[in-house]
Amino acid sequence: MAFINKKPLTIILGFVVVLQLSLFYYYSLSVDREYRAEKADLSSQAVMLTSNIEERVSIVKGVSSFIQTVGFDADPNLINEYLHTAYNNNSSNVMNIMIAPDGLIRYLYPLSGNTAILGKSLLLDSALSSPGMVQETIRSGGITIDGPRTLAQGEYGMVIRQAIYHNNSFTGIVSVTLKIENIVDQLLLKDTRIFVKTEDHTFLFGTPAEKEDKQLIVPVTVYNQHWLMGIPMPSHKKWEMLRSVLWIDMAILLIIAFILYIFWHQSRFNRELERVVSIRTRDLRVSKRLYEKLAHYDSLTGIPNRLYFMDEFERLLQSAEPTQTYTLFFFDLNRFKEINDTLGHSIGDQVIKTLANRLKNGKVPFKLFARTGGDEFVMVFPDLPREHIPTIAEHISGLISETLLISGAHLSLSTSIGVSLYPEHSLNKDDLLKFADMSMYQAKSQEDANYFIFDWGLREKLEQKTMIAKYLHSALEREEFVLHYQPQINAVTGKMIGMEALVRWNHPEKGLIGPGTFITAVEEAGLMIQLTDWVLREVCRQLCEWRTMGLPLLRTSINISNSWFYNRNLIENLLAVLDQYGLETSMLEFEITESTALLEEHYPLLQQMRDHGIVVSIDDFGTKYSSLNYLKHFPVNKIKIDRTFITGIGISSIDETIIKSIVYVASQLGYDLIAEGVETQEQLDFLIKHNCPHIQGFLFFPPLPAEDIHKLAS
């Protein structure tokens, strides 16, 4: 009996094995051999096409090398003569050769048939290139191919371009335009059914194929272009494939017949199969639910993640009634990085998990609550009156600030909250999230409140700050910064005893900009070291120039930021600059802020500067954190009395007492002293009376350009 049950199954399995072997053998002999040969021929055509275009690319490389050698500002006759020679040597291959300094088409050969594009801008005229292609050329810095496409001259062609850079700055573009007919003729594509199209199946050149034709395709990569070269399958191959399909169809019908036969005779097997399918379906449903949870919920906290929040927030906004309002809170944990750095990321994860659970169960009336990443969270409140925002912000802050006990550590945290409103600020979820993010960082800079509601003034301020940061990089490269010098006077003798170098930005559109507008942006852009190095070299260069003119050299002070002290080989580089210009170290004075002087890690460098004869002075002394007691520890030579105390002379007896104390302690400890910001005769008389004759301020001179200092000293 067992033999009878097994026999049909054995017959079916044997038949299936024979059928599969037959199909494999059939395909191996009748299909693979033919199409492999066809594909090999097509691949060789693709190689020929690539080589053909590479031959044209060499023309662009030659023009690029020529321009990099002579420059865009070379004699136009020389450039035109080179273009004439290059075109004549390759006239059978190219339509024209073009040179575009700064993206403006200035040189073009031949002019005949191409005058329509002469003088046009590649960066502005969309008809001269495919969308975004010129920008890709500039960004990549290499060879790019644009087209084939309809050219601005009206013909169908392809443009090969290369961007020219000088000192990492974009200076122009060179290009060669090819006729597609020339490429087609050289590859003998007209006598074949070969075609070339883009990856999205847009036809480029060759012989167009019928849509119903099946095609053999091979990829062709030429620089930035990714094409497909193909050929329709011959009719006899289609028939062979059809026969193969018929064979497969017949085999499937036979297999189905045998399966039905087995099902009819083996109902037990059918029930078992149904049971297995049911179990598998249940497992798939469980897996699907688990996948959805992993995709939409944060694995650490169990609350919705950014993906879920963005989808759900979009759904809420799309379905909102005209009178519906939403309030978006965006907040993070202040100084959370210190927890990760000091206690470890595992403790940080526990903090995030505990706080998320506390916020989730803290009776906060949110509609949506999600963790968007790191220590950042968002909450959405429907129809929340504006006057209730401070109450909600205070409640969230209270939940976060409650002391945490994690792994034996007592942690007290705080938060900063940014708020944006729908529809007042935007109807778009991305804008609302961005505005709330901006507001959160504004809240961090406030002292009176830990939340900030977005306003348009904040956006304008941040956009202006972003614009300044954007142009700072190029400003350094274009040498748009200049120095002004404010004389320092001995008020008793009337002689000039020194100067302070003050940086200005000579903006090409806005004119001369003071440091108060851009110094913060310089710090945030990470350019302070480069700017300080430039100021140092420019001061040394100017002193050297004045010495050549026969002027007496005066010690010049330079403002040094905290970040400059982390410059590698600072002392060696500083002495190298002084040696380059033949200056003594006593010609320089470095002004540092009081907060920088308080960092003991800088003391060794400050002491080395003093040992080499460089004067180090403390600017804005007494305005931040220190007391007079710190003076005995600072490795400095000089103190600058800040203008905030000077303005109090004659007004505030407290400011006058502080000045007297600074003068007394400085004299006892042997520090030099100078007062800045002196603008009135009353202030001057008070300082002279109390033994502080060294003055800097508008009462004597404002900051002056170098040429005015020359006139003043001569």
Side-chain angles (χ1 to χ4, degrees), residues 554-617:
L554 296 174
R555 183 162 58 217
T556 304
S557 63
I558 301 170
N559 290 282
I560 301 299
S561 69
N562 178 56
S563 59
W564 193 68
F565 282 91
Y566 298 101
N567 200 351
R568 276 189 167 187
N569 303 319
L570 187 151
I571 298 297
E572 293 81 355
N573 294 338
L574 174 60
L575 295 176
V577 172
L578 289 168
D579 185 62
Q580 177 184 349
Y581 290 98
L583 295 173
E584 298 293 332
T585 54
S586 58
M587 289 295 99
L588 291 183
E589 176 181 329
F590 286 165
E591 292 188 15
I592 60 174
T593 62
E594 184 180 325
S595 54
T596 300
L598 284 167
L599 297 174
E600 294 186 7
E601 62 190 68
H602 297 330
Y603 283 12
L605 277 175
L606 292 172
Q607 189 61 51
Q608 288 184 56
M609 290 180 185
R610 287 187 56 180
D611 293 343
H612 282 93
I614 298 172
V615 175
V616 179
S617 62

Side-chain angles (χ1 to χ4, degrees), residues 190-228:
K190 286 186 176 180
D191 298 327
T192 68
R193 301 185 66 190
I194 294 176
F195 59 87
V196 178
K197 59 184 179 180
T198 63
E199 290 182 323
D200 61 358
H201 301 288
T202 301
F203 176 79
L204 296 178
F205 56 87
T207 304
E210 298 295 333
K211 291 185 178 179
E212 61 272 17
D213 288 346
K214 293 188 178 295
Q215 302 162 355
L216 277 176
I217 300 294
V218 296
V220 180
T221 300
V222 187
Y223 292 96
N224 60 308
Q225 295 294 334
H226 303 281
W227 298 334
L228 300 175

Side-chain angles (χ1 to χ4, degrees), residues 301 333 336 349-361 369 377 399-402 404 406 413:
T301 62
L333 305 177
F336 178 73
D349 288 346
Q350 292 183 52
V351 170
I352 294 294
K353 185 176 180 179
T354 303
L355 288 181
N357 187 61
R358 184 184 289 178
L359 291 166
K360 180 180 178 181
N361 301 308
F369 174 43
F377 298 89
L399 290 172
I400 292 175
S401 62
E402 291 179 15
L404 292 171
I406 296 180
L413 301 172

Side-chain angles (χ1 to χ4, degrees), residues 273-291:
L273 182 60
E274 287 180 355
R275 189 181 70 83
V276 171
V277 170
S278 176
I279 294 173
R280 181 61 176 162
T281 302
R282 184 191 64 195
D283 291 344
L284 287 174
R285 287 173 182 166
V286 172
S287 298
K288 182 179 179 181
R289 287 196 295 269
L290 179 59
Y291 170 76

Side-chain angles (χ1 to χ4, degrees), residues 629-642:
N629 183 55
Y630 278 104
L631 284 176
K632 62 184 179 181
H633 302 295
F634 290 157
V636 298
N637 313 77
K638 189 174 180 180
I639 298 172
K640 246 189 174 182
I641 303 177
D642 191 75

Side-chain angles (χ1 to χ4, degrees), residues 107-175:
Y107 301 100
L108 183 63
Y109 194 90
L111 289 176
S112 176
N114 299 296
T115 54
I117 64 173
L118 187 63
K120 291 189 175 182
S121 173
L122 293 173
L123 303 177
L124 301 178
D125 196 331
S126 60
L128 296 179
S129 68
S130 300
M133 191 57 66
V134 171
Q135 289 75 12
E136 181 179 347
T137 301
I138 297 173
R139 183 173 60 253
S140 67
I143 299 293
T144 60
I145 294 178
D146 183 3
R149 62 179 180 83
T150 301
L151 304 173
Q153 300 95 316
E155 299 184 58
Y156 191 70
M158 181 168 61
V159 182
I160 303 175
R161 299 190 182 97
Q162 183 173 12
I164 305 298
Y165 284 82
H166 179 70
N167 292 333
N168 294 325
S169 295
F170 168 72
T171 57
I173 294 176
V174 299
S175 67

